[in-house]
């Protein structure tokens, strides 16, 4: 939990420098047949809400290649599902969009800004993107309301304002009477809705979800999908969601397949 908070809030909460900073060298990597010229890709990225351009991500001194020249553009307000086999690079790409990791090479561009040139990534993670994980990552010793309030630490909001906003968000997600309950007292679907409320706490323009329905039953899956669709319409959210479930992928505007670290379809 400490690592999660450090990654999300950086020095604002802990008084330490952010744990990740972009250090990749932009614009390198092998050419892939069928891709537009680099100038064209940059022009396209400038008009997209999210863009990954020739992104490579290597681990273990290059022995593990999670991404191999992935290129993807996501328009503002679009709902995109990332699919593909396990280990194909889906979650890695999502983490790069969230600035929880940095590319080995290539560019990640959000609303026309290259993350490699952004000075305050802690602010970006806090204000621009909302993150939803498969296992919720709620703090079990905090109440549902307090878990939502955590996301607002480091903002200009007072304690009273944070508490009021958390209450409003929980009510919006049909959890109005659950604010004082702790995560172990909630069902899987209810915990996921608390996690979504936390992700929306600072009114992000982008919602990134990594297998958010992976541990839910069929009814909770349908409820979560309906909730995401409603939130997108009401808040004009851009949503990128990683999933293995064809039913979940079918709810998106566009399904993108990633294999061996490349966007192939």
């Amino acid at each position: 939990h400490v690592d999660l908070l450090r990654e999300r809030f950086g020095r604002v909460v802990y008084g330490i420098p952010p744990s990740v900073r972009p250090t990749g060298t932009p614009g390198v990597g092998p050419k892939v047949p069928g891709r537009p010229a680099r100038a064209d890709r940059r022009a396209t990225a400038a008009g997209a809400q999210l863009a990954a351009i020739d992104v490579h991500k290597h681990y273990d001194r290059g022995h593990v290649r999670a991404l191999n020249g992935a290129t993807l553009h996501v328009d503002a307000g679009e709902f995109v599902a990332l699919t593909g086999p396990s280990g194909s690079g889906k979650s890695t790409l999502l983490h790069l969009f969230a600035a929880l990791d940095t590319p080995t090479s290539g560019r990640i561009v959000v609303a026309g800004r290259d993350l490699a040139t952004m000075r305050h990534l802690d602010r970006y993670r806090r204000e621009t993107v909302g993150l939803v994980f498969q296992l919720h990552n709620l703090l079990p010793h905090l109440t549902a309301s307090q878990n939502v309030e955590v996301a607002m630490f480091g903002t200009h909001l007072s304690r009273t304002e944070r508490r009021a906003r958390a209450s409003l968000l929980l009510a919006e997600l049909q959890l109005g009477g659950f604010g004082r309950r702790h995560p172990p007292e909630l069902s899987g679907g209810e915990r996921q809705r608390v996690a979504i409320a936390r992700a929306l706490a600072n009114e992000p323009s982008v919602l990134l979800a990594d297998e958010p329905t992976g541990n839910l039953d069929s009814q909770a899956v349908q409820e979560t999908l309906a909730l995401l669709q409603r939130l997108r319409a009401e808040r004009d959210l851009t949503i990128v969601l990683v999933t293995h479930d064809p039913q979940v992928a079918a709810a998106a505007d566009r399904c993108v397949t990633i294999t061996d670290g490349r966007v192939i379809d």
Side-chain angles (χ1 to χ4, degrees):
H1 294 126
V2 169
D3 289 340
L4 174 66
L5 290 171
R6 182 184 293 112
E7 286 177 344
R8 184 158 177 80
F9 299 111
R11 61 171 174 262
V12 173
V13 171
Y14 288 93
I16 60 175
S19 59
V20 291
R21 289 224 182 251
T23 58
T25 303
V28 300
K31 293 183 178 179
V32 178
R35 290 188 179 171
R38 178 166 296 162
D40 293 336
R41 291 198 304 273
R42 289 182 176 177
T44 305
Q49 177 74 8
L50 299 171
I53 307 168
D54 284 341
V55 170
H56 294 248
K57 181 60 183 178
H58 303 163
Y59 298 96
D60 192 19
R61 298 182 180 180
H63 295 292
V64 177
R65 297 174 178 265
L67 291 173
N68 288 298
T71 293
L72 175 66
H73 302 113
V74 180
D75 292 333
E78 193 175 14
F79 183 175
V80 173
L82 302 182
T83 66
S86 296
S88 60
K90 306 182 301 296
S91 294
T92 299
L93 183 57
L94 201 75
H95 294 165
L96 294 180
F97 280 138
L100 294 179
D101 206 345
T102 59
T104 302
S105 64
R107 303 169 65 223
I108 298 293
V109 180
V110 179
R113 297 186 63 188
D114 192 327
L115 293 190
T117 65
M118 195 175 294
R119 295 185 58 188
H120 300 291
L121 284 176
D122 51 346
R123 184 181 302 168
Y124 165 79
R125 288 189 292 267
R126 187 173 63 247
E127 299 176 356
T128 301
V129 297
L131 300 172
V132 182
F133 301 95
Q134 179 178 354
L135 298 179
H136 322 300
N137 285 342
L138 299 179
L139 301 175
H141 61 285
L142 299 183
T143 65
S145 179
Q146 289 168 338
N147 267 282
V148 177
E149 291 178 54
V150 162
M152 292 177 269
F153 289 173
T155 68
H156 66 280
L157 298 176
S158 67
R159 181 180 180 182
T160 299
E161 291 170 327
R162 292 196 302 266
R163 184 173 298 173
R165 178 155 179 75
S167 179
L168 287 173
L169 282 167
L170 291 174
E172 183 180 354
L173 273 63
Q174 290 81 50
L175 292 171
F178 295 77
R180 294 186 178 181
R181 296 190 186 184
H182 292 77
E185 301 173 301
L186 302 173
S187 69
E190 290 164 350
R191 288 196 294 269
Q192 194 60 284
R193 277 184 277 162
V194 173
I196 293 173
R198 180 184 60 189
L200 298 175
N202 295 317
E203 300 184 339
S205 57
V206 176
L207 185 66
L208 304 173
D210 195 352
E211 292 280 4
T213 62
N215 290 327
L216 304 181
D217 59 36
S218 57
Q219 180 178 349
V221 168
Q222 291 301 320
E223 292 173 351
T224 300
L225 289 175
L227 174 61
L228 291 176
Q229 293 283 21
R230 177 171 65 83
L231 291 172
R232 179 178 69 139
E234 293 175 354
R235 295 170 176 266
D236 196 26
L237 282 173
T238 301
I239 300 177
V240 180
L241 178 149
V242 169
T243 185
H244 284 99
D245 189 337
Q247 181 183 12
V248 174
D253 300 330
R254 180 160 56 106
C255 182
V256 174
T257 302
I258 299 179
T259 301
D260 296 329
R262 293 181 177 179
V263 175
I264 63 169
D265 186 13

